[in-house]
Amino acid sequence: MIKGCYKLWVMLMISSLLTGCWDYKDVNRRNIRLSVGVDKVDDKIEFIGENTNLLGEQEKGGEKIQIPTPSYYIASGNSLEEIKEKLDASTPLEDFSGAMRVVVFGKGYAEDGIESYINRINYLTYLRKSLLIVVSKEAPRELFQRQVVNDIAIGYAIENTIRQLSENGRCVYITAQEVQANIQNKDIGYILPYVGIEDDIIKHIGFVIMKDGKMVGIVSNEESNGFLYLLLKKAVDRKAISGVGNKDNLYSVRITLKKRKIKTNYIDKKLILI
């Protein structure tokens, strides 16, 4: 009798583990967000970004395969909640923002302050706190409606470019969580990647200087070596040096920071170098 009850209990436990999620929905029925741009246009906040869905099918090798179909969404309003309501009312599929890669701020919005949107990211459970944060030279409306040749989508092009540059010591990869921590520390400024589009190619073109959540300046790539040396653990620099006795013969030198000898700190609104 006891053995029979034990077997029944085991079967019930296994069957409960094999059941699917009660609220499961097929990925085909979801509106997958890839990226979002936030800007200020005519005293209103404007959202524009990329979606993808898997509704399309294509024949390949005698088999039908689903292919991502990119689309764009755009809405404007006086507040973030008003825009969210407009987007929900115009979206035929359930929103899924867990795949979002990057948030792109327009210069106008960044100059007014990004704190409210950063707080939104960090307090909403369906948005990843590790989202990459950048500022765009072009207005997001212009940026997201362009076709790029260096990736499959604008969001992927930006995130992949910044990530590989960061891994090679040529850029900083700043997340929403890190930005919020910097905003809360009122005494210090910080930088964000600055991106632009040239010849239909997404490029990292420098950094924007942020203070109290607002953009206060721009630093080009050519002027950024000092920032990178102080901020990155593995800063990398490249120099061309003329050969001895033959100035036309150039040597390319790659300098990598391995053991930092200069320690930096910021105390009582003063920069300390040790």
Side-chain angles (χ1 to χ4, degrees):
M1 180 69 179
I2 296 176
K3 289 184 177 180
C5 291
Y6 179 75
K7 289 180 179 179
L8 178 62
W9 180 82
V10 171
M11 291 175 64
L12 289 172
M13 288 296 297
I14 293 175
S15 64
S16 66
L17 293 174
L18 293 177
T19 57
C21 298
W22 65 271
D23 62 345
Y24 168 77
K25 283 193 177 181
D26 193 279
V27 69
N28 292 351
R29 306 307 306 166
R30 289 185 180 270
N31 190 58
I32 303 172
R33 306 276 194 209
L34 295 180
S35 54
V36 62
V38 187
D39 203 5
K40 182 179 179 182
V41 180
D42 297 330
D43 295 326
K44 289 190 175 184
I45 303 171
E46 182 179 84
F47 279 13
I48 182 170
E50 295 171 303
N51 294 333
T52 187
N53 58 62
L54 301 174
L55 294 177
E57 290 188 346
Q58 181 175 324
E59 292 279 351
K60 186 175 183 180
E63 297 181 358
K64 286 187 176 181
I65 60 172
Q66 290 180 318
I67 56 173
T69 304
S71 60
Y72 298 93
Y73 60 94
I74 186 167
S76 63
N78 295 313
S79 68
L80 299 176
E81 290 307 318
E82 180 184 343
I83 297 172
K84 182 65 167 61
E85 289 181 3
K86 289 182 178 180
L87 287 174
D88 289 343
S90 62
T91 302
L93 303 178
E94 183 175 341
D95 181 31
F96 176 70
S97 298
M100 193 178 294
R101 305 283 293 270
V102 61
V103 175
V104 182
F105 290 114
K107 290 191 293 183
Y109 190 86
E111 287 171 347
D112 278 357
I114 65 174
E115 185 172 0
S116 60
Y117 195 84
I118 293 297
N119 288 337
R120 178 183 178 83
I121 295 173
N122 283 282
Y123 290 130
L124 292 178
T125 56
Y126 58 82
L127 290 176
R128 294 187 301 114
K129 316 317 172 202
S130 57
L131 276 171
L132 172 65
I133 306 298
V134 304
V135 177
S136 172
K137 177 183 177 182
E138 289 81 16
R141 177 190 285 264
E142 177 186 351
L143 182 75
F144 279 94
Q145 293 184 336
R146 295 278 293 273
Q147 295 292 323
V148 295
V149 298
N150 56 330
D151 218 318
I152 61 175
I154 294 290
Y156 282 99
I158 294 174
E159 203 269 345
N160 289 336
T161 299
I162 299 301
R163 182 178 296 279
Q164 70 88 10
L165 286 173
S166 175
E167 291 173 352
N168 286 281
R170 298 304 305 155
C171 188
V172 291
Y173 191 103
I174 303 292
T175 67
Q177 190 172 33
E178 292 169 326
V179 172
Q180 187 185 50
N182 288 328
I183 291 175
Q184 291 175 346
N185 190 342
K186 301 293 184 180
D187 290 334
I188 65 171
Y190 55 98
I191 64 175
L192 294 175
Y194 189 44
V195 300
I197 189 164
E198 299 176 8
D199 300 324
D200 296 327
I201 296 175
I202 289 289
K203 292 184 177 181
H204 172 251
I205 57 177
F207 301 93
V208 297
I209 310 300
M210 305 291 294
K211 182 70 170 67
D212 297 328
K214 298 180 180 181
M215 174 179 145
V216 296
I218 298 174
V219 177
S220 67
N221 270 336
E222 293 75 19
E223 302 171 319
S224 66
N225 285 342
F227 284 100
L228 295 175
Y229 185 84
L230 292 174
L231 292 173
L232 300 183
K233 293 182 180 180
K234 297 180 180 180
V236 175
D237 194 14
R238 295 175 177 82
K239 299 289 185 183
I241 301 176
S242 300
V244 178
N246 185 359
K247 294 183 178 180
D248 294 331
N249 190 14
L250 298 179
Y251 295 91
S252 179
V253 179
R254 185 175 184 268
I255 305 168
T256 303
L257 178 64
K258 290 186 176 180
K259 187 175 181 181
R260 190 181 298 277
K261 296 182 179 180
I262 299 176
K263 295 182 179 180
T264 63
N265 206 340
Y266 191 78
I267 303 174
D268 298 328
K269 297 184 179 182
K270 292 182 180 180
L271 180 63
I272 310 296
L273 300 177
I274 302 174

